[in-house]
């Protein structure tokens, strides 16, 4: 049985971890270095670091904070935000990232995924997709959920994984921060379209939501969340014990 991963996410703006609802109304949470250190020792399987305004502001990712975060943790680190070229991949990997997440950069230049996969391997390239329903259709959004690209999400994800993306993070804008559960309909559509690992993001409000996710969609490889972990609403150790009791394989 494949071990399911639990992944906290650090959304970083102006050097601080922030959290919002439906990608809006961001509020300050903590220092990314302090939180990263905490999660590394608290049983997280991996950590995701997003510089969430890099693409919208047209700048490169903050590498000084990233380097400090990477130096403090002993679990795999995925980094995204402002990744537009293979040089950006190289830069964040040299700062200590294990995998690089690309979203808006791939929308602007779809060849980026294939170029990066050839240089660093499929396992290093993570496609992050911000998806929202528009008139009943799953649409891809860019620039931190600000711009509707018009792309149909499932076709886009298929295309990117065929080009070399080794993992997909599905960010549901509709459920982000709402804490009513993961977007099972959206995730099911993605899982049925690809053979690479799928990470569910957006909507976790309690332990039961993770159990529901992995029971309903065995193909989902990992659950990602932010605020419920940041604010101590759910402890990763408690979550993993509960998942194990429900017959779901996790690393304790």
């Amino acid at each position: 049985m494949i071990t399911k991963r639990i992944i906290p996410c650090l959304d970083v703006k102006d050097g601080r971890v922030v959290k919002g609802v439906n990608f809006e109304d961001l509020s300050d949470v903590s220092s990314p270095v302090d939180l990263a250190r905490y999660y590394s020792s608290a049983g997280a399987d991996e950590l995701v670091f997003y510089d969430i305004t890099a693409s919208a502001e047209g700048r490169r990712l903050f590498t000084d904070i990233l380097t400090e975060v990477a130096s403090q943790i002993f679990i795999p680190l995925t980094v995204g935000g402002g990744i537009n070229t293979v040089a950006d991949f190289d830069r964040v990997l040299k700062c200590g990232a294990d995998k690089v997440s690309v979203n808006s950069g791939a929308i602007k230049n779809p060849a980026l995924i294939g170029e990066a996969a050839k240089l660093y391997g499929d396992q290093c390239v993570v496609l992050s997709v911000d998806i929202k329903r528009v008139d009943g259709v799953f649409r891809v959004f860019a620039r931190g959920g600000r711009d509707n690209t018009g792309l149909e999400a499932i076709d886009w994800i298929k295309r990117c994984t065929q080009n070399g993306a080794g993992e997909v993070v599905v960010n549901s804008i509709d459920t982000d921060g709402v804490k009513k559960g993961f977007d099972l309909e959206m995730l099911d559509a993605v899982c049925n379209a690809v053979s690479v690992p799928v990470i569910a993001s957006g909507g976790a409000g309690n332990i039961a939501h993770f159990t529901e996710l992995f029971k309903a969609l065995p193909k989902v490889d990992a659950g990602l969340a932010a605020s419920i972990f940041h604010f101590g609403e759910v402890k990763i150790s408690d979550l993993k014990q509960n998942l194990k009791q429900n017959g779901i394989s996790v690393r304790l």
Side-chain angles (χ1 to χ4, degrees), residues 71-175:
S71 72
Q72 296 291 320
I73 66 173
F74 303 96
I75 52 177
L77 176 64
T78 298
V79 177
I83 306 296
N84 295 298
T85 65
V86 289
D88 291 328
F89 270 79
D90 188 64
R91 197 161 46 86
V92 298
L93 289 168
K94 283 176 177 170
C95 288
D98 298 284
K99 294 184 275 190
V100 182
S101 175
V102 62
N103 185 342
S104 298
I107 293 166
K108 285 183 281 189
N109 174 22
L112 175 61
I113 286 175
E115 291 168 9
K118 283 190 183 74
L119 280 171
Y120 304 110
D122 293 10
Q123 80 290 339
C124 179
V125 182
V126 179
L127 175 70
S128 179
V129 193
D130 298 336
I131 309 174
K132 186 176 183 179
R133 290 168 179 79
V134 180
D135 298 325
V137 178
F138 294 136
R139 294 292 182 195
V140 177
F141 279 66
R143 296 177 67 244
R146 293 167 179 81
D147 299 342
N148 181 356
T149 65
L151 291 166
E152 196 282 320
I154 305 304
D155 286 346
W156 170 246
I157 291 168
K158 276 186 182 167
R159 178 178 164 192
C160 291
T161 55
Q162 287 165 0
N163 286 343
E167 192 166 76
V168 179
V169 178
V170 179
N171 307 302
S172 172
I173 297 175
D174 296 323
T175 61

Side-chain angles (χ1 to χ4, degrees), residues 224-235:
L224 181 150
S227 59
I228 61 165
F229 295 144
H230 297 343
F231 298 120
E233 296 164 45
V234 171
K235 286 188 176 179

Side-chain angles (χ1 to χ4, degrees), residues 183-205:
D183 198 327
L184 299 181
E185 179 193 23
M186 184 183 291
L187 290 160
D188 186 44
V190 174
C191 286
N192 288 327
V194 301
S195 57
V196 302
V198 172
I199 298 172
S201 171

